[in-house]
Amino acid sequence: MTAILSDRFLDRLARARSVVAFTGAGISAESGVPTFRGNQGIWTKFKPEELANLDAFLSNPSLVWEWYSARRKVMGEVQPNAGHLALARLEQSFPSVTVVTQNIDNLHRRAGSKHVLELHGNIDRNYCMGCGARYVGDEILFKEGIPQCSGCGGLVRPDVVWFGEMLPLDQWDESVKAIESADVVLSIGTSGVVFPAAELPLYGKRHGAYTVEINPEETELSETMDEVVRGKSAQVLPELVKELESRGVGKQTQKISRK
Ligand code: BJW
Ligand code: ZN
């Protein structure tokens, strides 16, 4: 099946200087990383409030750690898919391309995207809740299944954002800045139910960006987008790149106009 890319969308892109891709778990689905919600979602088995919050971690650190270890293993073993690679390739067509991701899986960077902002942390980083010491990957001391800081004995946690926690301010501020100055904002593979991240495409729209959702399913954001493309990102994004390149859209061809 070929996704339909409207002329309006392609024209807006052809005139764009700055593009932001706002991504969620769906962009990594075709790499083999399960999404959170929906039929294939990991949270059909685990409820978010059971695992992705500080209270759960404090009351059962080994269970939550086990969950993150299993996911770290999957995320390390899979490869970026055609959707991640197409986004990285977009950098050849526009002066500014920013990926604002809710994912913690590193796949955008591994695909070659250079400007990636991570709103919900990164699976490869961990830190001690006692002294702040940083740990990379799985190289952590365990005492009875509980990850411990080798410096102060404190509890080590993944450097990810759980429910009720603030997003990293630098990543948030930079994301808002990029989205508010974008000509086109693509919302890809996210259900749009988790705030404040889900507000970002709307910030773009309010500041004049053309907003397009790429998702096989309807989401909380669909109605507010200027346009929706119903399809899987690993199929739609390469088509988009191909179309742009066949129209000769390159860094020299853009005009400043946002009309
Ligand atoms: C495909 C596809 C294919 C499939 N191609 N697409 C305002 C209103 C109501 C509540 C709140 C609010 N503001 C804050 C809240 C509370 C809360 C919240 O949003 N709750 C809602 C659930 C109601 N938010 C927070 O707590 C946030 N913090 C905060 O607000 O701090 C301020 C504050 C603090 C203290 C006091 C007061 C204020 C923090 C949110 C942190 C979210 N963390 C997680 C876990 C990260 C670590 C980890 O990975 O383990 O982030 S939860 C989880 O959801 C993860 C994701 O990044 C996030 C979003 O999920 P995503 O990416 O959209 O995935 P899915 O599975 O939902 O959707 C996948 C989509 O892909 C689907 O649409 C599919 O169709 C599609 N798809 N295949 C393209 N091939
Ligand atoms: Zn410590």
Side-chain angles (χ1 to χ4, degrees), residues 4-83:
I4 297 161
L5 302 171
S6 75
D7 282 339
R8 179 139 197 252
F9 179 21
L10 292 167
D11 286 348
R12 290 296 292 242
L13 275 170
R15 287 188 280 122
R17 296 182 61 76
S18 165
V19 176
V20 172
F22 170 63
T23 67
I27 195 166
S28 299
E30 286 158 278
S31 290
V33 181
T35 60
F36 292 91
R37 302 169 185 86
N39 293 339
Q40 306 300 316
I42 40 179
W43 288 350
T44 52
K45 288 174 216 142
F46 296 107
K47 287 206 163 33
E49 58 272 19
E50 283 167 8
L51 296 175
N53 73 73
L54 183 60
D55 288 344
F57 184 59
L58 294 178
S59 62
N60 197 345
S62 57
L63 171 71
V64 174
W65 193 267
E66 207 180 302
W67 186 52
Y68 277 95
S69 288
R71 291 174 62 208
R72 185 179 296 117
K73 187 165 182 290
V74 169
M75 290 171 184
E77 284 170 0
V78 301
Q79 297 303 322
N81 64 50

Side-chain angles (χ1 to χ4, degrees), residues 25 30 36-37 68 71 120 161 164-165 190-191 195 215 233:
E30 286 158 278
F36 292 91
R37 302 169 185 86
Y68 277 95
R71 291 174 62 208
H120 292 162
V161 181
E165 296 183 328
T190 180
S191 56
F195 288 85
N215 197 310
S233 46

Side-chain angles (χ1 to χ4, degrees), residues 92-157:
Q92 292 173 21
S93 295
F94 301 98
S96 167
V97 176
T98 304
V99 176
V100 174
T101 190
Q102 298 167 85
N103 300 343
I104 61 171
D105 60 22
N106 275 313
L107 290 175
H108 286 300
R109 282 212 186 84
R110 286 176 56 203
S113 282
K114 291 199 184 62
H115 193 205
V116 181
L117 298 168
E118 294 174 322
L119 294 174
H120 292 162
N122 186 296
I123 190 79
D124 284 340
R125 298 192 308 252
N126 308 280
Y127 67 92
C128 167
M129 294 173 67
C131 71
R134 301 213 148 257
Y135 293 87
V136 177
D138 253 337
E139 291 169 5
I140 298 160
L141 215 74
F142 282 84
K143 201 173 170 191
E144 288 158 16
I146 298 175
Q148 271 199 350
C149 176
S150 47
C152 78
L155 194 54
V156 176
R157 61 164 283 178

